[in-house]
């Protein structure tokens, strides 16, 4: 279904996966919104039974990186705990060799010397690992390096 409108999509269109159980053999869930983005493909052995393509992302902001689930708000809490980092950050998700990689791009406060950037990155990597179970690479840039947005901030860029 379309994640924004909730309307059914035609077969082959990318949308949110919804599971429905209308028999008495399973728990009486009428509609379960998984939050996963995928599309239905025509069946091969059984033409009436569609196949589900590989899941390509999430309808909400939740990130799933190597089995660990995290929201950008949780990453923001960790960024705010590191003195010397500004509250502006961007989570970049990539998949170069079949493994998801999270890179957190953030920026230093104006009063922080550029020689401390590696120290700040290491501190944030440690917090993300211990508190959230995320193995992430952190890049600390100059003040103003992260693009500012009007309205809701775009915190996740999914390049998978």
């Amino acid at each position: 279904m379309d994640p924004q409108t909730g309307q059914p999509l035609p077969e082959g269109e990318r949308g949110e996966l919804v599971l429905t159980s209308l028999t008495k053999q399973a728990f009486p869930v009428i509609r379960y919104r998984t939050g996963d983005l995928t599309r239905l493909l025509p069946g091969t052995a059984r033409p009436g039974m569609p196949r589900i393509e590989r899941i390509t992302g999430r309808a909400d902001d939740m990130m799933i990186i190597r089995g660990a689930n995290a929201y950008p708000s949780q990453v923001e809490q960790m960024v705010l705990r590191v003195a010397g980092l500004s509250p502006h950050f961007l989570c970049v998700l990539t998949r170069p060799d079949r493994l998801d990689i999270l890179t957190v791009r953030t920026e230093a406060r104006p009063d922080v010397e550029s020689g401390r950037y590696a120290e700040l990155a290491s501190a944030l990597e440690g917090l993300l690992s211990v508190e959230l179970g995320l193995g992430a690479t952190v890049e600390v840039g100059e003040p103003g390096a992260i693009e500012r947005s009007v309205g809701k901030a775009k915190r996740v860029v999914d390049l998978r």
Side-chain angles (χ1 to χ4, degrees), residues 14-17 34-38 54-60 62 64 93 95 158 160:
R14 189 169 313 281
E16 182 178 355
L17 179 63
T34 65
D36 296 324
L37 294 177
T38 187
R54 176 175 289 213
I55 294 172
T56 57
R58 295 281 304 170
D60 56 10
M62 185 171 67
I64 303 174
L93 299 167
R95 187 181 289 147
D158 196 340
R160 296 181 281 186

Side-chain angles (χ1 to χ4, degrees), residues 131-147:
E131 298 288 328
L132 301 179
L134 295 175
T137 303
V138 176
E139 298 173 356
V140 178
E142 296 290 327
I146 304 296
E147 181 182 338

Side-chain angles (χ1 to χ4, degrees), residues 3-75:
Q4 278 77 36
T5 65
Q7 297 301 314
L9 293 171
E11 191 171 305
E13 292 288 320
R14 189 169 313 281
E16 182 178 355
L17 179 63
V18 178
L19 304 175
T20 304
S21 173
L22 297 176
T23 67
K24 293 184 179 183
Q25 297 173 354
F27 188 78
V29 174
I30 301 302
R31 294 188 74 175
Y32 176 71
R33 294 182 67 170
T34 65
D36 296 324
L37 294 177
T38 187
R39 64 187 185 128
L40 294 177
L41 302 172
T44 53
R46 301 182 118 186
M49 303 293 284
R51 297 177 298 141
I52 300 172
E53 187 181 53
R54 176 175 289 213
I55 294 172
T56 57
R58 295 281 304 170
D60 56 10
D61 285 341
M62 185 171 67
M63 302 175 291
I64 303 174
I65 302 100
R66 298 184 188 185
N69 300 347
Y71 287 94
S73 59
Q74 293 174 303
V75 174

